[in-house]
Amino acid sequence: MEQLRKAKGFICDMDGVIYHGNKILPGVKEFVEWLYRESKQFLFLTNNSGKTPKELQEKLARMGLEVDEHHFYTSALATAEFISRQSPGAHVFVIGEPGLYNALYEKGITLDDTSPDYVVIGESSSYNYDNICKAVHHVQNGARLIGTNYDLTGPTEQGIMPACRAFVKPIELVTGKEAYYIGKPNPLMMRTGLNMLGVHSQEAVMIGDRMDTDIVAGIESGLDTALVLSGVSTRETVKLFPYRPRLILNGVGDIPD
């Protein structure tokens, strides 16, 4: 635990680590206060593409947590950055929430449901049969398929619910084309997070609730790793993976000394 506490940089997942839905998790306020008190560099790096950093900041504020906007980075921002670098001025067909639309707009990417260069799928309450058919049509016509993140499920106040990969899978199955997933565990997002913090991977720790995204992303990027049991993964499911987090904690409230 002392090794973790001495880290200069902390990259933390949000869903299942900081909150479930609109409910803050135990010990989070004390953890955030500790990060500020110890002058740690930290980033809330979330695979959820639905909200902008400003919306995430306001969400935490409603829960009683005051965190500066620059401490947030989302898979929507990472997706927009990737597409803008690969194909500046690209046209995209999107199934997603405002955070994804806003990120793409800010990078000069045009929405197009006629002949897009990319089909981009994120979490969405507007996901329906009509949108799936449009996405399939565009991919069959040559559009490249992008998933904002690799999460199959996500924790909510109502329990475990479908997430991005569950929405992408029908399109993959029908078209025979595999999506490229931008969020964790893709090293693209982790490298960006480390650059934002200004710390080396050996001086940073990844804290998450998922073995298949958070922990493997930390391991493959050379970070120390801590799994919290406040979200998706459990002590039993940890045994199903060939890799291990260095620490398993009940929640981030275990970290402050």
Side-chain angles (χ1 to χ4, degrees):
M1 183 66 85
E2 284 307 310
Q3 178 182 332
L4 183 147
R5 289 172 177 153
K6 290 178 181 178
K8 293 182 179 180
F10 286 75
I11 296 179
C12 304
D13 184 36
M14 297 193 72
D15 295 322
V17 177
I18 304 299
Y19 53 67
H20 283 174
N22 293 309
K23 182 180 179 182
I24 196 167
L25 290 167
V28 168
K29 186 174 182 180
E30 292 78 7
F31 172 61
V32 172
E33 289 172 350
W34 178 83
L35 289 171
Y36 275 113
R37 185 170 66 248
E38 297 294 322
S39 300
K40 302 293 187 182
Q41 300 298 316
F42 69 95
L43 187 67
F44 290 141
L45 188 147
T46 177
N47 262 357
N48 193 306
S49 62
K51 296 184 182 300
T52 65
K54 182 64 175 177
E55 287 172 328
L56 289 170
Q57 179 194 35
E58 292 175 349
K59 178 175 181 174
L60 290 191
R62 290 193 296 271
M63 299 178 190
L65 280 179
E66 296 296 333
V67 179
D68 296 337
E69 186 178 346
H70 72 272
H71 287 295
F72 300 91
Y73 191 65
T74 73
S75 66
L77 296 174
T79 298
E81 179 70 20
F82 171 78
I83 293 175
S84 68
R85 286 178 177 271
Q86 288 281 305
S87 183
H91 288 222
V92 300
F93 173 75
V94 181
I95 301 176
E97 296 292 327
L100 179 55
Y101 284 96
N102 186 73
L104 294 166
Y105 173 79
E106 290 293 328
K107 286 294 183 178
I109 296 167
T110 302
L111 300 181
D112 183 351
D113 64 358
T114 304
S115 56
D117 304 300
Y118 294 90
V119 168
V120 181
I121 310 296
E123 299 81 8
S124 176
S125 57
S126 63
Y127 187 85
N128 56 46
Y129 184 74
D130 182 53
N131 279 338
I132 297 171
C133 290
K134 288 181 179 178
V136 166
H137 171 74
H138 294 318
V139 172
Q140 287 175 330
N141 283 348
R144 286 152 283 180
L145 181 59
I146 299 288
T148 60
N149 67 82
Y150 198 66
D151 288 357
L152 183 63
T153 61
T156 71
E157 291 173 283
Q158 291 75 41
I160 300 298
M161 298 294 177
C164 182
R165 185 155 54 103
F167 299 147
V168 177
K169 186 56 68 176
I171 301 165
E172 290 181 320
L173 290 172
V174 174
T175 62
K177 304 289 180 63
E178 290 188 4
Y180 182 62
Y181 292 92
I182 302 296
K184 299 171 292 182
N186 192 326
L188 281 172
M189 199 168 178
M190 299 301 293
R191 290 198 196 100
T192 300
L194 289 170
N195 288 337
M196 291 173 71
L197 292 180
V199 300
H200 191 276
S201 58
Q202 294 180 347
E203 302 173 317
V205 58
M206 176 71 214
I207 302 173
D209 69 307
R210 302 183 64 107
M211 289 292 292
D212 59 344
T213 53
D214 302 321
I215 300 306
V216 70
I219 290 171
E220 292 182 353
S221 301
L223 281 69
D224 192 12
T225 53
L227 176 76
V228 292
L229 302 176
S230 50
V232 172
S233 293
T234 66
R235 290 188 185 276
E236 289 303 311
T237 58
V238 166
K239 299 174 184 177
L240 302 176
F241 295 87
Y243 49 86
R244 295 285 186 272
R246 191 180 67 80
L247 291 173
I248 298 179
L249 309 173
N250 292 317
V252 292
D254 291 351
I255 296 173
D257 50 9

